Amino acid sequence: MEQPIKKSIFYRDKHRPQFHYSPPENWMNDPNGMVYFEGEYHLFYQYYPEKTVWGPMHWGHAVSKDLIHWENLPIALYPDDLGHIFSGSAVVDWSNTSGLGKDGQPPLIAIFTHHEMELEKVGTNNHQYQSIAFSHDNGRSLIKYSGNPVLPNLNNIKDFRDPKVIWDKIRKHWLMVLATTDHSKFYSSKNLIDWTHLSNWGSPYGEHNGVWECPDLFPMRVEETGEEKWVLLQSINPGGLNGGSATQYFVGDFDGEKFILDEKFEKEVTNGHAIWIDYGRDNYAGVTWSDIPDEDGRRIFIGWMSNWDYSQTVPTERWRNAMTIPRRLALAQVNGKYRVISHPVKELEKLRGKFIDIESQIVSNNSILIEKKQLNVSQAEVILTIDLEGTSSTVFGIELSNGKGAVYQFGYEIANQQFFSDRSRSFSEVFSDKFSVKPALAPRFSTDQELLLHCFIDASSIEIFIDNGSVVMTETFFPNEDFNQLSLFCNDGQVQLVSGIAYELSSIW
């Protein structure tokens, strides 16, 4: 058996994140096949091992015991006669419904899209279909099923991909959601091999100005009431609110055959409107882990931290693109409306090192909160609480800078109740005319008088969890030198900072 890929000096590359997952080298995009099994979180992903741009897709592979520290493993799936290996999911077949188990042990089953490039080149629309592979050794090797594809493309649908499969505990069968051009299709199976079409869902809800991709469907309990609702994640490219690719979500019910949008949520997502899992420009194709133990009970999500508008041209040399930090998803009511809430997973706290308390203060114009001599702000977690009642400034926020002219700003416009992320001065070279066309915008859902900002800064990215995660913005940037200073700014008036704390986070590599 091939040995795990060892850690290397590659993880000291310029712009390389230190507590986000990225492959040792070359191209990566969508997270795939995320499953928990035998004490390990598996992260498969779209991978091209030859270059730092998209190419014939493989499944890369990494595992973790704590969601934070990752062990790189050899490539899990290679292209074959049926095509490239596009996105998909993985499950543990606990009852061996597939018959692919061995010696009384349940198999780990990967469900993925085969994409036949030659068929696509000649202009046919039946070049994508669904296949499976199975493992008897904790995912270290995946054996492709001899009867592939298990779900052929009989209706010649051009975009017919990215199967996400879960076990429906109520109906006692497997449930698949599949992205098909501009809507979702639902299928069921007793054995992961023979699939029956249940229904379609999509129009007229949400954003359709692009191709739907990488869906996910799962039940969740509403925090305030305990009632069960179903959440459908649906990525789209292009069509994101702030340009390029992004992931929208829908809240409703599932009756075993059809997804029924909640009537209150329906009013918010008709006529091209959408609610987004992340309002930044760099969280795409995110889905959740399967088979998290019941005693844990979390719904854990991770996304690809990039955007198809510019992902192939960002100024990294040996590697290209990373994943977001893992997030615990929750379903809550914010001002009477259903919202999927994102929380950084608690395991991240293990990375906390030295810290500084940021004192309560009234800020006029600009105040430096963290300097390089205090801690490494380019590898940090920062939590700030702002009193809006005591704030008279119309526009305020946080600013990252490095003394060499690179600046990134995240701010809040009180009159519009709108957040913005401005990275127009955050990079040292122009690598795409789409990277910084205008600031990314996000609404505020909460009406609380305290504004809570929970930020994770990692070399070339920031993830900002706003108001306990009811809004998130994830943005990448590529400064000429790592940012080393964080300030609180305001354009007029003053800002009341109630409290703050900053932690330097250790590298996972």
Side-chain angles (χ1 to χ4, degrees):
M1 180 184 294
E2 293 182 83
Q3 295 298 310
I5 300 168
K6 294 182 179 180
K7 300 174 185 177
S8 74
I9 59 172
F10 294 173
Y11 284 96
R12 297 294 177 251
D13 292 345
K14 185 178 182 180
H15 303 310
R16 173 79 79 160
Q18 292 302 301
F19 57 87
H20 290 77
Y21 179 77
S22 60
E25 54 185 336
N26 294 315
W27 172 268
M28 176 185 75
N29 58 285
D30 306 356
N32 296 156
M34 289 136 59
V35 61
Y36 181 85
F37 187 53
E38 298 292 336
E40 292 180 322
Y41 297 92
H42 289 262
L43 172 62
F44 299 93
Y45 52 89
Q46 293 285 276
Y47 185 54
Y48 183 39
E50 302 296 328
K51 296 181 180 180
T52 56
V53 294
W54 190 92
M57 284 291 97
H58 302 56
W59 269 24
H61 191 196
V63 294
S64 174
K65 294 185 182 299
D66 64 0
L67 283 169
I68 304 303
H69 299 88
W70 294 95
E71 177 185 4
N72 290 304
L73 295 177
I75 292 170
L77 289 172
Y78 288 81
D80 56 32
D81 291 343
L82 289 176
H84 297 176
I85 312 299
F86 274 24
S87 292
S89 53
V91 296
V92 182
D93 185 9
W94 293 105
S95 299
N96 195 26
T97 63
S98 62
L100 297 172
K102 183 179 179 181
D103 300 330
Q105 296 300 310
L108 190 155
I109 307 285
I111 310 97
F112 59 92
T113 296
H114 261 122
H115 180 100
E116 178 51 72
M117 293 297 292
E118 295 306 314
L119 287 178
E120 183 183 25
K121 287 177 182 178
V122 299
T124 66
N125 283 340
N126 64 340
H127 53 273
Q128 293 184 343
Y129 23 79
Q130 318 318 313
S131 297
I132 63 173
F134 56 94
S135 174
H136 300 136
D137 59 359
N138 291 4
R140 267 55 179 179
S141 59
L142 286 170
I143 304 165
K144 291 168 184 167
Y145 177 60
S146 60
N148 283 335
V150 296
L151 182 56
N153 190 348
L154 300 178
N155 296 315
N156 294 325
I157 300 171
K158 182 180 180 182
D159 301 295
F160 186 74
R161 58 175 180 263
D162 310 338
K164 184 61 162 66
V165 173
I166 63 171
W167 177 252
D168 187 336
K169 295 179 180 180
I170 297 176
R171 267 68 62 167
K172 305 297 182 185
H173 62 210
W174 298 101
L175 176 63
M176 176 195 292
V177 57
L178 195 69
T180 53
T181 307
D182 64 349
H183 65 278
S184 302
K185 289 185 181 293
F186 302 101
Y187 295 83
S188 67
S189 174
K190 293 293 186 182
N191 57 12
L192 291 165
I193 296 170
D194 304 297
W195 292 91
T196 300
H197 178 243
L198 297 174
S199 63
N200 301 336
W201 188 86
S203 182
Y205 305 119
E207 176 61 66
H208 289 266
N209 189 27
V211 177
W212 280 24
E213 298 183 304
C214 301
D216 197 356
L217 178 72
F218 47 86
M220 298 192 82
R221 295 284 177 185
V222 181
E223 288 189 337
E224 293 82 2
T225 64
E227 65 176 325
E228 183 179 86
K229 307 296 287 187
W230 285 68
V231 173
L232 174 64
L233 304 183
Q234 186 60 73
S235 292
I236 184 171
N237 177 54
L241 174 68
N242 289 302
S245 43
T247 302
Q248 53 194 325
Y249 67 86
F250 305 93
V251 179
D253 297 289
F254 190 78
D255 65 3
E257 183 175 329
K258 300 184 298 296
F259 180 74
I260 303 103
L261 196 63
D262 180 85
E263 61 181 19
K264 289 186 292 185
F265 201 83
E266 180 178 359
K267 297 176 182 178
E268 298 187 274
V269 294
T270 54
N271 301 319
H273 297 291
I275 306 296
W276 305 91
I277 199 76
D278 192 309
Y279 283 81
R281 283 165 287 203
D282 292 302
N283 182 357
Y284 188 61
V287 287
T288 62
W289 265 272
S290 69
D291 292 276
I292 299 294
D294 289 342
E295 58 268 27
D296 182 318
R298 291 178 295 175
R299 176 65 55 178
I300 303 174
F301 167 101
I302 201 170
W304 177 48
M305 197 162 61
S306 193
N307 188 306
W308 280 113
D309 267 357
Y310 43 76
S311 57
Q312 301 195 76
T313 59
V314 295
T316 58
E317 295 181 1
R318 196 187 305 270
W319 60 284
R320 190 150 284 156
N321 305 319
M323 297 297 179
T324 68
I325 56 173
R327 306 170 181 188
R328 175 179 67 87
L329 300 185
L331 185 60
Q333 292 188 17
V334 180
N335 291 328
K337 297 177 180 179
Y338 291 121
R339 292 290 180 260
V340 174
I341 308 298
S342 298
H343 301 284
V345 294
K346 60 187 178 183
E347 288 87 343
L348 283 159
E349 295 177 6
K350 295 191 297 184
L351 300 179
R352 291 173 175 173
K354 64 179 179 179
F355 67 93
I356 59 170
D357 285 311
I358 302 170
E359 63 182 13
S360 174
Q361 56 190 282
I362 295 175
V363 174
S364 299
N365 191 22
N366 190 301
S367 176
I368 297 172
L369 301 183
I370 308 170
E371 296 182 272
K372 182 179 181 180
K373 63 184 179 182
Q374 296 173 295
L375 56 75
N376 181 6
V377 77
S378 71
Q379 196 172 309
E381 176 186 2
V382 181
I383 304 171
L384 302 175
T385 302
I386 294 167
D387 179 7
L388 295 179
E389 273 192 315
T391 294
S392 60
S393 177
T394 57
V395 179
F396 65 89
I398 58 173
E399 177 179 287
L400 292 169
S401 59
N402 65 6
K404 288 193 173 183
V407 173
Y408 165 81
Q409 286 190 335
F410 166 82
Y412 182 55
E413 300 173 350
I414 290 182
N416 299 325
Q417 296 184 313
Q418 180 174 261
F419 301 101
F420 64 89
S421 173
D422 183 357
R423 58 187 183 188
S424 60
R425 296 177 289 158
S426 70
F427 50 91
S428 57
E429 60 181 286
V430 178
F431 53 86
S432 168
D433 59 4
K434 294 184 177 180
F435 183 74
S436 186
V437 179
K438 57 184 179 180
L441 304 176
R444 187 176 191 227
F445 296 132
S446 173
T447 57
D448 290 351
Q449 286 303 304
E450 280 197 340
L451 173 62
L452 179 63
L453 304 178
H454 192 168
C455 311
F456 289 82
I457 307 157
D458 193 4
S460 54
S461 68
I462 187 168
E463 293 168 84
I464 307 169
F465 296 79
I466 305 161
D467 293 326
N468 291 306
S470 62
V471 175
V472 188
M473 297 190 80
T474 299
E475 298 269 274
T476 56
F477 37 63
F478 301 92
N480 47 12
E481 183 179 274
D482 285 350
F483 291 125
N484 55 34
Q485 181 174 283
L486 184 144
S487 302
L488 185 61
F489 75 88
C490 55
N491 288 2
D492 54 12
Q494 61 186 29
V495 178
Q496 175 67 64
L497 178 64
V498 177
S499 62
I501 190 168
Y503 302 91
E504 187 170 305
L505 300 184
S506 59
S507 173
I508 63 173
W509 304 112

